[in-house]
Amino acid sequence: MVGIVERLVPDELWELFQRVVSEAPSRPQGGGRRGHGDREVLAAIVFVATSGCTWQLLPSASFGPTGATAHRRFSEWSEARVWAKLHHLVLDELGARGELDWSRCAINSVNMRALKGDLAGPNPVDRGKYGSKIHLVTERTGLPISVAISGANVHASQALIPLVKGVPPIRSRRGRPGRLHADKGYDYRHLRQWLSGRGIWHRIARKGIETSQRLGRHRWTIERTMSWLAGCRRLHRRYERKADHFLAFTSIACTLICYRRLA
């Protein structure tokens, strides 16, 4: 019977994680309590991300580490950018297997309320209530290849250039998006010129010219990816005060989406 740790962190995902995380430093004076294994802590973090429970309510009897231990290790790994490295590594494995389709990519963003923290701002479409925004670029089938966060008051078009620049080098036949689809929120001349200057064919809906009937013909995949992100209940509302922790949970959700394709 497969335990909860093996179910949340399968063997292949655990092998990939070991390649991006550094070993815990040993105490030069010796002694001290025996630390919990990284796999058990990783399973506890994945459980918090997917279930949405708080660190205090983490069932330590099922995993071993307490909520405080899991949160401390989560903070250390977030500071070391382990989650971004893991997401990149999973994408690299997908690219090596030919599972990434760069012919058409899409960009979009989604808002959620934020109780506190930096990189949060008044949401103009939610009566000025504080919130944060997740920006995402996906390949043709909807796998997230670049992610970023900002305040809810930041216009979505401002994230296009950083997101495209943030696409990591991935082992595949194509190193950059062939086409980029976006809605009317990205209809700006300087963005079109910037994409054209980098050899990326853009398909951005034009304000006042094109209707909204055919805009989702190729962009429906990123809308589906947004619903996949909702499967990570920790992203339903931002509870993290630090922006790095909120970005970490977003990267974990993207990694799990990509790993499902890999598995």
Side-chain angles (χ1 to χ4, degrees), residues 179-198:
R179 298 183 180 184
L180 184 66
H181 292 261
D183 58 24
K184 298 179 182 180
Y186 301 86
D187 183 20
Y188 291 94
R189 183 178 180 182
H190 70 281
L191 295 179
R192 298 175 184 273
Q193 293 176 345
W194 187 85
L195 291 172
S196 299
R198 281 150 183 80

Side-chain angles (χ1 to χ4, degrees), residues 9 35-36 63 66 75 102 116 119 130 171 195 222:
V9 184
H36 294 282
F63 299 97
T66 62
S75 301
W102 295 87
K116 52 191 175 183
L119 287 186
Y130 261 61
R171 290 185 297 172
L195 291 172
I222 195 170

Side-chain angles (χ1 to χ4, degrees), residues 31-249:
R33 297 180 60 183
R34 181 181 180 182
H36 294 282
D38 287 345
R39 187 169 186 174
E40 288 75 15
V41 176
L42 177 60
I45 294 173
V46 172
F47 179 80
V48 171
T50 55
S51 66
C53 79
T54 62
W55 297 104
Q56 293 80 4
L57 296 180
L58 179 69
S60 58
S62 301
F63 299 97
T66 62
T69 300
H71 181 263
R72 176 177 54 81
R73 204 83 63 89
F74 169 78
S75 301
E76 294 173 356
W77 290 340
S78 300
E79 186 176 357
R81 301 190 73 252
V82 169
W83 312 115
K85 296 176 183 177
L86 182 61
H87 182 208
H88 180 196
L89 186 58
V90 175
L91 287 174
D92 215 26
E93 292 294 327
L94 287 170
R97 301 182 186 184
E99 295 288 341
L100 297 178
D101 190 346
W102 295 87
S103 60
R104 294 182 186 271
C105 295
I107 183 173
N108 208 343
S109 61
V110 61
N111 294 302
M112 71 281 303
R113 291 186 180 179
L115 301 180
K116 52 191 175 183
D118 48 356
L119 287 186
N123 191 345
V125 297
D126 192 15
R127 296 171 293 174
K129 295 186 177 181
Y130 261 61
S132 294
K133 185 178 293 185
I134 297 177
H135 306 269
L136 205 63
V137 171
T138 61
E139 48 89 64
R140 185 167 190 166
T141 62
L143 295 180
I145 57 177
S146 183
V147 63
I149 62 172
S150 70
N153 57 333
V154 176
H155 198 274
S157 62
Q158 298 183 22
L160 187 146
I161 295 178
L163 273 179
V164 176
K165 286 183 176 181
V167 175
I170 302 170
R171 290 185 297 172
S172 61
R173 291 174 295 178
R174 182 186 293 271
R176 66 176 187 274
R179 298 183 180 184
L180 184 66
H181 292 261
D183 58 24
K184 298 179 182 180
Y186 301 86
D187 183 20
Y188 291 94
R189 183 178 180 182
H190 70 281
L191 295 179
R192 298 175 184 273
Q193 293 176 345
W194 187 85
L195 291 172
S196 299
R198 281 150 183 80
I200 301 177
W201 191 88
H202 50 78
R203 183 63 177 87
I204 302 176
R206 294 167 292 180
K207 300 176 183 178
I209 298 178
E210 299 179 72
T211 64
S212 302
Q213 296 178 357
R214 294 172 56 116
L215 295 182
R217 182 180 179 184
H218 298 291
R219 291 194 306 105
W220 66 270
T221 54
I222 195 170
E223 301 293 343
R224 182 184 61 180
T225 305
M226 296 298 182
S227 66
W228 286 346
L229 286 179
C232 184
R233 293 181 175 271
R234 191 73 180 191
L235 299 180
H236 286 189
R237 178 174 293 191
R238 177 181 170 182
Y239 297 97
E240 285 69 37
R241 186 183 301 274
K242 295 183 178 180
D244 292 342
H245 291 181
F246 180 62
L247 180 61
F249 277 121

